[in-house]
Amino acid sequence: MRIGFLQLRPRFGAVKENVRKAIALLDQLSDATVVLPELFNTGYLFRNEEELSSLAETIPGGYTVSEMQKLAKKRQLNIVFGMAQRYKGAYYNSAVCVTSKGKIEVYQKVHLFDREKLFFTRGKSFKIVSTEQAKLGLLVCFDWIFPEAARTLALGGAQILCHPSNLVLPYAKDAMKTRCIENRVFGVTANRIGSERRGTMFLSFTGGSQIVNPAGDVLASASDRSESLRVVEIDVGEALDKNITTNNNLFEDRTPSLYKALVRKRR
Amino acid sequence: MRIGFLQLRPRFGAVKENVRKAIALLDQLSDATVVLPELFNTGYLFRNEEELSSLAETIPGGYTVSEMQKLAKKRQLNIVFGMAQRYKGAYYNSAVCVTSKGKIEVYQKVHLFDREKLFFTRGKSFKIVSTEQAKLGLLVCFDWIFPEAARTLALGGAQILCHPSNLVLPYAKDAMKTRCIENRVFGVTANRIGSERRGTMFLSFTGGSQIVNPAGDVLASASDRSESLRVVEIDVGEALDKNITTNNNLFEDRTPSLYKALVRKRR
């Protein structure tokens, strides 16, 4: 199967422009599973909840999902992308998967970063999407720093971590190699580039989107400067084999009875 | 406080020679916490249980621990080192901590690598050692690939991961940076160098011992060629602060109720 990323430079607030550009670039492609950045349609630096409210969309029904769904069917793509979701009176930083068969699945980001906590609500579950080719585990950006997130997805059967991102810290790309190695899964991190200045706030995004295999090898990567679509052919079956020596299977060697501290409620 | 590693090239089976060399090198040092490689006194590639039996020692009482204890008191050191332990009719691949105050603590490796499973028994608990300066979390080599091991130690209050190793795979050093970042702890990986040929078996060890801070920066590292003692001054208080942005605390942001898959018994 073929997996890839589309690294983009969204313009804040220009939803139609951002979606149209993504569609124009993806329209070159067919029969692939491709990941776009977090909040690719709106940009990242919301000043406040009012601004978020004016840009968030419903799933399904909203403009962005409708357009991406049409494209997914037309080009036989599974597309994972990040967007601001309006849902039951709250806002979620969500990763959406639209499949070539018309399915829509949503993951609401669990581990919110910094100011996101001011207006986004934290998600309440992880999400694995079954497509015809593979099981996709959805992560959004800062989820990378919590090993429990990728581990939960991998234990649930995810073979490919799909990781829409707006990374500003320098550590995630190496850490995602560790996530792939420790779980024997593929990882696709789709980061954005460019910067946003909103009032006194300024963020610069670090690009470097990458596709990593279960051995931790980078199969494809992007620079920190240009929008970029990269697709590679993989054998997703590699992610089913958790053996790393004759005597070691990474999942069977786990000792869950010793890991209880990880699920203990704090305070 | 001062933390460091002693990277060594043990000669298989030459326990007295290996221990004396380590002591000669450490005798330059005082007032520090220092980590030595896994199985530093015996070497790694046991042909069979009989050979292991002839080299394993009791803790306390055995030659290696007795010598290291004397040194720890004399030079005011806390020393963490790996050795083969004979205990209640079984053998453990153990990390021992001898402190400047005469305390002896033992961690029996939980995640055994490859042929170790043929004659070592798996440990049944993790271990945190409280010294006057810091809480030390003990890991042995292959434990690095299971994020639950370092996480359990960090949640238990460990500020420094002490990681005696005999690394042959190339991934652990970058992964240990991820462990330090995701847990906001220090990490000292003491690897060995050289190679062992035993019958038809051959292993080459990769050196590159390193000291990493909670930001993932490498404070000191060794080559893959020479025995090497490196010590750095750290502020261990950095590992108490789990905040990484104004709104993010890496431990408070964890969502244990969503991590239950990690403690589910398999099969």
Side-chain angles (χ1 to χ4, degrees):
Chain A
M1 67 177 286
R2 302 190 324 138
I3 62 174
F5 61 76
L6 177 58
Q7 175 168 294
L8 292 166
R9 183 192 281 106
R11 190 159 70 82
F12 187 86
V15 172
K16 289 201 173 175
E17 174 186 324
N18 294 333
V19 172
R20 280 177 191 150
K21 186 167 63 179
I23 288 175
L25 290 163
L26 290 174
D27 212 11
Q28 310 163 30
L29 195 65
S30 62
D31 299 309
T33 293
V34 62
V35 184
L36 278 60
E38 180 185 18
L39 297 168
F40 91 98
N41 60 339
T42 57
Y44 183 79
L45 264 182
F46 302 99
R47 287 176 197 252
N48 48 48
E49 189 172 315
E50 290 66 45
E51 196 170 69
L52 171 56
S53 173
S54 74
L55 292 166
E57 300 176 21
T58 55
I59 305 170
Y63 168 78
T64 301
V65 166
S66 303
E67 293 298 305
M68 299 303 271
Q69 259 197 304
K70 276 185 248 169
L71 179 72
K73 283 185 194 170
K74 175 185 171 199
R75 305 298 307 170
Q76 288 295 297
L77 299 173
N78 302 309
I79 313 173
V80 177
F81 56 93
M83 61 171 282
Q85 179 188 14
R86 176 196 309 277
Y87 180 72
K88 294 189 179 172
Y91 303 97
Y92 295 87
N93 183 344
S94 294
V96 184
C97 180
V98 296
T99 76
S100 59
K101 304 296 172 197
K103 187 156 73 170
I104 303 179
E105 301 254 24
V106 182
Y107 162 64
Q108 298 171 326
K109 185 177 185 178
V110 166
H111 302 99
L112 297 172
F113 183 70
D114 207 355
R115 288 181 71 258
E116 297 169 24
K117 291 188 176 181
L118 306 184
F119 28 78
F120 284 113
T121 298
R122 160 189 273 203
K124 286 163 199 68
S125 61
F126 293 112
K127 171 71 78 174
I128 295 168
V129 180
S130 293
T131 70
E132 293 200 317
Q133 294 86 23
K135 290 190 178 177
L136 312 179
L138 306 188
L139 291 173
V140 178
C141 203
F142 189 57
D143 285 326
W144 70 265
I145 208 169
F146 300 88
E148 296 91 347
R151 186 63 123 196
T152 299
L153 294 169
L155 290 172
Q159 296 145 358
I160 305 170
L161 301 174
C162 297
H163 184 215
S165 296
N166 276 193
L167 295 166
V168 293
L169 296 172
Y171 316 113
K173 285 161 247 174
D174 282 342
M176 285 302 290
K177 295 182 208 169
T178 300
R179 299 287 171 253
C180 291
I181 290 167
E182 70 200 14
N183 292 300
R184 295 269 321 151
V185 294
F186 291 88
V188 182
T189 295
N191 196 13
R192 60 162 290 181
I193 54 170
S195 59
E196 289 185 5
R197 189 180 298 283
R198 309 269 306 143
T200 58
M201 299 184 291
F202 177 80
L203 282 182
S204 182
F205 301 94
T206 55
S209 298
Q210 64 182 13
I211 305 171
V212 181
N213 74 9
D217 303 318
V218 177
L219 303 180
S221 63
S223 78
D224 58 358
R225 312 219 158 177
S226 50
E227 299 188 311
S228 164
L229 175 64
R230 291 293 306 275
V231 177
V232 298
E233 179 83 30
I234 62 160
D235 172 5
V236 73
E238 289 174 28
L240 295 174
D241 178 7
K242 307 299 182 188
N243 295 303
I244 61 165
T245 72
T246 316
N247 297 300
N248 290 104
N249 179 292
L250 281 189
F251 280 9
E252 290 168 14
D253 285 350
R254 296 177 67 253
T255 54
S257 62
L258 301 187
Y259 303 158
K260 286 179 186 149
L262 277 69
V263 296
R264 215 161 281 150
K265 209 173 165 178
R266 290 176 67 78
R267 289 161 205 217
Chain B
M1 67 178 287
R2 303 191 322 138
I3 62 175
F5 62 75
L6 177 58
Q7 175 168 292
L8 292 167
R9 183 193 282 107
R11 189 159 71 83
F12 187 87
V15 171
K16 290 201 171 176
E17 173 186 325
N18 295 331
V19 171
R20 281 177 191 152
K21 187 167 61 178
I23 287 174
L25 290 164
L26 289 175
D27 212 12
Q28 309 163 29
L29 196 64
S30 63
D31 299 308
T33 293
V34 63
V35 184
L36 277 62
E38 179 184 18
L39 297 167
F40 91 98
N41 60 338
T42 56
Y44 183 80
L45 265 181
F46 302 100
R47 288 176 196 251
N48 49 47
E49 188 172 315
E50 290 63 46
E51 195 169 69
L52 171 57
S53 173
S54 74
L55 291 166
E57 299 177 22
T58 55
I59 306 170
Y63 168 77
T64 300
V65 165
S66 303
E67 293 297 306
M68 298 304 271
Q69 258 196 307
K70 276 184 250 171
L71 179 72
K73 284 186 194 171
K74 174 184 171 200
R75 305 299 305 168
Q76 289 295 296
L77 299 173
N78 302 310
I79 312 173
V80 178
F81 56 94
M83 60 172 281
Q85 178 189 14
R86 176 197 309 276
Y87 179 73
K88 293 188 178 174
Y91 303 98
Y92 295 87
N93 183 343
S94 295
V96 184
C97 179
V98 295
T99 75
S100 59
K101 304 296 171 196
K103 187 155 73 170
I104 303 178
E105 303 255 21
V106 181
Y107 162 64
Q108 298 172 327
K109 185 177 185 177
V110 166
H111 302 99
L112 297 172
F113 183 69
D114 208 354
R115 287 181 72 258
E116 296 169 24
K117 290 188 177 182
L118 306 184
F119 27 78
F120 285 113
T121 299
R122 159 190 274 204
K124 288 163 198 70
S125 61
F126 293 111
K127 172 72 77 176
I128 296 168
V129 180
S130 294
T131 70
E132 293 201 319
Q133 294 85 23
K135 290 189 178 178
L136 312 178
L138 306 189
L139 292 173
V140 178
C141 204
F142 189 57
D143 285 325
W144 70 265
I145 208 170
F146 300 88
E148 295 90 347
R151 186 62 125 196
T152 299
L153 294 170
L155 290 173
Q159 295 143 0
I160 304 169
L161 302 174
C162 296
H163 184 214
S165 296
N166 276 193
L167 295 166
V168 292
L169 298 171
Y171 316 113
K173 284 162 248 174
D174 282 342
M176 285 301 290
K177 295 181 207 171
T178 300
R179 299 286 171 254
C180 290
I181 290 168
E182 70 200 15
N183 292 300
R184 295 268 322 151
V185 294
F186 291 88
V188 182
T189 296
N191 196 13
R192 61 162 288 181
I193 54 171
S195 59
E196 288 183 7
R197 187 180 299 283
R198 310 268 307 143
T200 58
M201 300 183 290
F202 177 80
L203 282 182
S204 182
F205 301 93
T206 55
S209 298
Q210 63 182 14
I211 306 172
V212 181
N213 74 9
D217 303 317
V218 177
L219 304 180
S221 64
S223 79
D224 59 358
R225 313 222 159 173
S226 50
E227 298 189 311
S228 164
L229 174 63
R230 292 294 307 274
V231 177
V232 298
E233 178 83 31
I234 61 159
D235 172 6
V236 74
E238 289 174 27
L240 295 175
D241 179 7
K242 306 299 182 187
N243 296 301
I244 60 165
T245 72
T246 316
N247 296 298
N248 290 105
N249 179 292
L250 281 189
F251 280 10
E252 291 169 14
D253 285 351
R254 297 178 67 253
T255 54
S257 63
L258 301 186
Y259 303 156
K260 288 181 185 145
L262 277 69
V263 295
R264 215 163 279 147
K265 211 173 163 176
R266 291 174 65 79
R267 286 151 207 225

